[in-house]
């Protein structure tokens, strides 16, 4: 995506596609379903709290429908996605499931697993309220297949101001050189400079995704996904070298930690920095911590001015048992009330261009401003640039490298190249 391309601009071309796309979803039937099951990986903490905000809106509008969240815990859906796939394969879909905008969604569409929602966009006026390039990320062959509920930022640096002060760090590192200098300061203080979560591999892969972007810049990074930058070339090799160096400042025993555990090391003063998506802020707030006092943030070093984005969206699976309830849910997902109830607690900004920013905290207000002006680049580990096959292979390759003591740089580059190929198959 180009700088400034996801903006509130007249979505003429998208609308034209939407009008010509032959849409199949009838969205005007009343919801008489007594049950409604969604499938997510938002099982606890800030993730569950955010979802509950939107569920409250749904329940108020659909008092006779029992809401069931069939969640499977595990960050980034690493456990949930396999369970979902087996349900889809057995023709036992939930009524709606969570999928990332971009290539992840594309995979479900090409598998024939999702209904076309274009008519809902027309009846709800969403083709004018969602940024046109975000609509493109959920459009396949002219038809729109999901309802985005948010925009998350992947490339955020988090730290505890009291720990940083003790280490002699007075400002956020903006470059990789400054970052490595600060990691040394934490080390001298006697704590790991970087909090790492190895459980499920994805959080280490998330760190690599940022490091490749920080090391090679947005153009070369995007080239990895359009074939113009080689996965086995010098740019990736330099990125992996930086990654290896950063990992050497990590905490011990990371293999047993999921992302909330690693985040807690930082807020407890037991580790220096955490590079994680902005759901971390929601997690800490759900634990009673205070933004600006217990933790603070900056754009991750080397990527200031670049917004590595991802978007959670909800779908209508083919064969959903409670289809009318699902459509009622999707209407809440796309609504201003639903999004402004969900996002302030989820740690994300609204996907809509008309959200009420007074409901959002200082971090989210700054993210909303950056989203409008930064260079936009998709996240690999959260489905924007890669489908499920690519992500699974990417995470496995990074997991192998990390658990092997992060030594085999050439092997990792080869595994990443293979992951990119797996995504094309
Ligand atoms: C992402 C998802 C976020 C958050 C995160 C950590 O893939 O988009 O909403 O759930 O995983 O679990």
């Amino acid at each position: 995506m180009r700088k400034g391309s996801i903006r509130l601009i007249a979505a003429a071309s998208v609308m034209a596609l939407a009008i010509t796309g032959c849409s199949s979803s009838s969205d005007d039937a009343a919801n008489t379903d007594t049950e409604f099951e969604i499938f997510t990986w938002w099982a606890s903490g800030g993730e569950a709290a955010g979802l509950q905000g939107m569920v409250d809106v749904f329940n108020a509008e659909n008092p006779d429908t029992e809401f069931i969240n069939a969640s499977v815990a595990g960050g980034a859906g690493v456990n949930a996605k396999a369970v979902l796939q087996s349900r889809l394969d057995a023709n036992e879909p939930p009524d709606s499931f969570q999928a990332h905008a971009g290539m992840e969604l594309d995979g479900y569409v090409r598998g024939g697993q999702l209904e076309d929602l274009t008519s809902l966009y027309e009846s709800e006026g969403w083709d004018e309220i969602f940024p046109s390039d975000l609509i493109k990320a959920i459009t396949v062959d002219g038809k729109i297949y999901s309802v985005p509920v948010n925009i998350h930022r992947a490339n955020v640096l988090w730290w505890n101001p009291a720990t940083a002060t003790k280490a002699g760090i007075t400002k956020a590192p903006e470059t990789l050189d400054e970052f490595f200098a600060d990691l040394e300061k934490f080390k001298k203080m006697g704590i790991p400079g970087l909090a790492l979560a190895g459980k499920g591999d994805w959080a280490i892969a998330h760190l690599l995704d940022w490091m490749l972007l920080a090391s090679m810049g947005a153009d070369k990074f995007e080239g990895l996904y359009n074939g113009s930058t080689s996965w086995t070339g010098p740019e990736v090799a330099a990125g992996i070298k930086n990654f290896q160096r950063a990992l050497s400042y990590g905490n011990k025993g990371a293999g047993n930690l999921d992302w909330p555990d690693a985040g807690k090391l930082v807020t407890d003063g037991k580790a220096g920095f955490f590079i994680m998506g902005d759901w971390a802020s929601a997690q800490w707030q759900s634990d009673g911590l205070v933004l600006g006092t217990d933790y603070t943030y900056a754009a991750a070093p080397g990527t200031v001015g670049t917004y590595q984005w991802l978007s959670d969206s909800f779908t209508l699976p083919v064969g959903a048992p409670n289809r009318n309830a699902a459509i009622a849910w999707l209407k809440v997902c796309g609504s201003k009330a639903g999004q402004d109830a969900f996002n302030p607690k989820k740690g994300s900004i609204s996907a809509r261009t008309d959200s009420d920013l007074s409901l959002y905290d200082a971090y989210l207000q700054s993210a909303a401003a950056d989203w409008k002006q930064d260079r936009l680049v998709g996240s690999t580990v959260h489905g924007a640039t890669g489908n499920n096959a690519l992500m699974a292979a990417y995470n496995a390759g990074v997991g192998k490298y990390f658990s092997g003591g992060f030594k085999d740089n050439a092997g990792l580059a080869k595994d990443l190249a293979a992951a990119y190929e797996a995504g094309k198959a």
Side-chain angles (χ1 to χ4, degrees), residues 41-42 47 74-77 98 100 150 152 202 259 276 279 310-312 346 381-382:
W41 56 87
W42 296 336
E47 306 198 312
Q98 172 193 354
H100 289 118
N150 65 5
H152 267 305
W202 73 271
W259 68 271
M276 185 46 63
W279 46 86
L310 58 122
S311 171
D312 294 305
K346 180 65 173 73
V381 178
H382 306 281

Side-chain angles (χ1 to χ4, degrees), residues 37 240 288 333 400:
E37 185 199 35
I240 293 177
C333 288
K400 187 172 98 185

